[in-house]
DNA sequence: ACAGGATCCTGGGGGC
DNA sequence: TGCCCCCAGGATCCTG
């Protein structure tokens, strides 16, 4: 399940191979992702050169010459990868961008189809603007103050707030549980019940957890891989996620699992009691 | 205005 | 061992 650090790892692994390459031709499947894939939109990319790859939170984009941009959201099971043109096209491949140069192409593969791949122009950035700050790209004093205010005014549980991309961009289910564990804060406490000290501590941990995950090239659960098809190493550093029934690495109490807003939360009830 | 629930989808895991 | 059912999970839309 790709979160901000996984998407950043994909961006970093693809960027050196993609920048400067032109799209020779495109192919799209007939299945819908979150958005419809319209052949004529992808035709616009043909003849244009990739100039940079950007990211905010879990949203990735490729900028092309001609002021064009594609937005890519990996959803649950999306993979964006560079392959040889003649490599077997695996099941659930939805987009192929055939590139100039040495016979490679960029493919988007997504079994569950929760992802998105859309073609637009570079001025169309409303979906970036409606996201909150990303701790791994803009973590200025102002960005932290904005996140703090949004947490303090919410009556939702802090776990659900952390998953809200309008509050903090890039935090998903793994890193929300991990950050709360490190900050020793209960996942069920309301945002507006947290003390200023607790919020400062939590945001510090969110930042640390996301940065460390990027350095470890992401956490591979289920089918996440980077742009070269490699799994991330951060799984070895995860303390509570998916570890229910196992001893807490800090106090040896058993790690619990609970459901919040339809999603699993993993935590130590003893270490995270307030 | 905000919260909670339904929705999309398939592979994999649990249960019998 | 096999088969069927159920369910996870990000973002968005709908209802209360």
């Amino acid at each position: 399940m790709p979160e901000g650090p996984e998407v950043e790892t994909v961006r970093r692994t693809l960027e050196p191979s993609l920048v400067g390459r032109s799209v020779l031709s495109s192919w799209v499947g007939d299945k819908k992702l979150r958005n419809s894939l319209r052949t004529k939109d992808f035709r616009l990319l043909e003849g244009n050169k990739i100039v940079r790859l950007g990211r905010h939170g879990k949203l990735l984009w490729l900028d092309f010459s001609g002021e064009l941009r594609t937005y890519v959201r990996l959803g649950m099971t999306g993979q964006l990868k560079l392959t040889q043109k003649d490599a077997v096209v695996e099941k659930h491949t939805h987009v192929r961008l055939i590139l100039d140069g040495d016979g490679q192409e960029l493919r988007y593969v997504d079994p569950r189809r929760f992802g998105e791949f859309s073609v637009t122009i570079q001025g169309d950035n409303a979906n970036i603007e409606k996201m909150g700050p990303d701790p791994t790209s803009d973590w200025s004093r102002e960005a932290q103050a904005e996140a703090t205010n949004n947490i303090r005014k919410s009556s939702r549980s802090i776990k659900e707030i952390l998953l809200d991309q309008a509050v903090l961009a890039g935090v998903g289910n793994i890193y929300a549980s991990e950050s709360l564990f490190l900050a020793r804060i209960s996942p069920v406490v309301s945002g507006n019940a947290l003390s200023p000290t607790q919020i400062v501590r939590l945001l510090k941990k969110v930042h640390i957890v996301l940065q460390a995950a990027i350095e470890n090239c992401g956490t591979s659960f289920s089918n996440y891989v980077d742009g070269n098809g490699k799994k991330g190493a951060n799984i070895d550093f995860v303390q509570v996620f998916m570890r229910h029934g196992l001893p807490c690495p800090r106090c040896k109490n058993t790690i619990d699992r609970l459901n919040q807003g339809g999603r699993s939360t993993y935590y130590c009830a003893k270490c995270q009691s307030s």
Side-chain angles (χ1 to χ4, degrees), chain A residues 187-208:
Chain A
V188 299
V189 69
S190 298
N192 59 17
L194 288 170
S195 70
T197 316
Q198 284 179 307
I199 297 177
V200 168
R201 195 167 72 225
L202 177 59
L203 292 181
K204 207 168 274 180
K205 296 302 183 187
V206 169
H207 184 240
I208 289 170

Side-chain angles (χ1 to χ4, degrees), chain A residues 35-252:
Chain A
N35 62 311
S36 304
L37 301 176
R38 294 185 303 179
T39 305
K40 64 173 176 132
D41 293 346
F42 285 86
R43 290 255 185 269
L44 295 172
L45 301 174
E46 296 175 3
N48 284 297
K49 186 178 278 192
I50 299 168
V51 294
R52 67 182 289 266
L53 274 70
R55 178 195 67 92
H56 189 89
K58 304 171 192 173
L59 183 65
L60 180 69
W61 60 89
L62 282 69
D63 282 342
F64 294 77
S65 54
E67 299 294 308
L68 293 168
R69 172 174 288 180
T70 60
Y71 280 111
V72 181
R73 234 185 262 278
L74 300 176
M76 284 295 301
T77 53
Q79 297 180 343
L80 192 63
K81 47 193 179 184
L82 201 57
T83 64
Q84 289 302 313
K85 226 179 285 187
D86 54 6
V88 174
V89 178
E90 67 184 290
K91 201 175 168 183
H92 308 302
T93 299
H94 304 293
V95 178
R96 298 166 66 191
L97 299 181
I98 293 91
L99 305 169
D100 68 353
D102 50 0
Q104 288 187 309
E105 63 181 54
L106 185 66
R107 293 181 183 173
Y108 181 73
V109 181
D110 187 356
R112 236 171 262 185
R113 287 191 270 142
F114 275 26
E116 175 190 328
F117 202 135
S118 57
V119 180
T120 183
I121 53 168
Q122 285 168 31
D124 175 14
N125 54 13
N127 52 3
I128 301 173
E129 283 164 3
K130 72 182 174 195
M131 275 189 268
D134 181 329
T136 64
S137 55
D138 169 23
W139 208 222
S140 62
R141 202 167 285 274
E142 292 73 25
Q144 293 176 53
E146 183 192 330
T148 301
N149 286 336
N150 282 322
I151 291 169
R152 292 186 67 178
K153 73 182 188 195
S154 175
S155 60
R156 296 145 79 200
S157 72
I158 186 60
K159 164 71 185 322
E160 289 175 279
I161 298 171
L162 287 178
L163 292 183
D164 186 343
Q165 301 302 296
V167 176
L168 283 173
V171 180
N173 213 33
I174 299 175
Y175 303 123
S177 283
E178 293 298 309
S179 303
L180 287 165
F181 173 75
L182 291 179
R184 303 184 187 228
I185 291 170
S186 164
V188 299
V189 69
S190 298
N192 59 17
L194 288 170
S195 70
T197 316
Q198 284 179 307
I199 297 177
V200 168
R201 195 167 72 225
L202 177 59
L203 292 181
K204 207 168 274 180
K205 296 302 183 187
V206 169
H207 184 240
I208 289 170
V209 163
L210 294 178
Q211 290 289 6
I214 290 176
E215 278 160 36
N216 294 319
C217 300
T219 305
S220 290
F221 262 104
S222 93
N223 68 344
Y224 158 76
V225 290
D226 69 20
N228 297 322
K230 266 179 59 185
K231 284 176 177 283
N234 201 59
I235 183 73
D236 299 335
F237 301 93
V238 165
Q239 311 230 36
V240 289
F241 185 77
M242 284 283 281
R243 298 182 64 81
H244 52 299
L246 296 171
C248 164
R250 200 157 44 200
C251 77
K252 308 300 174 203

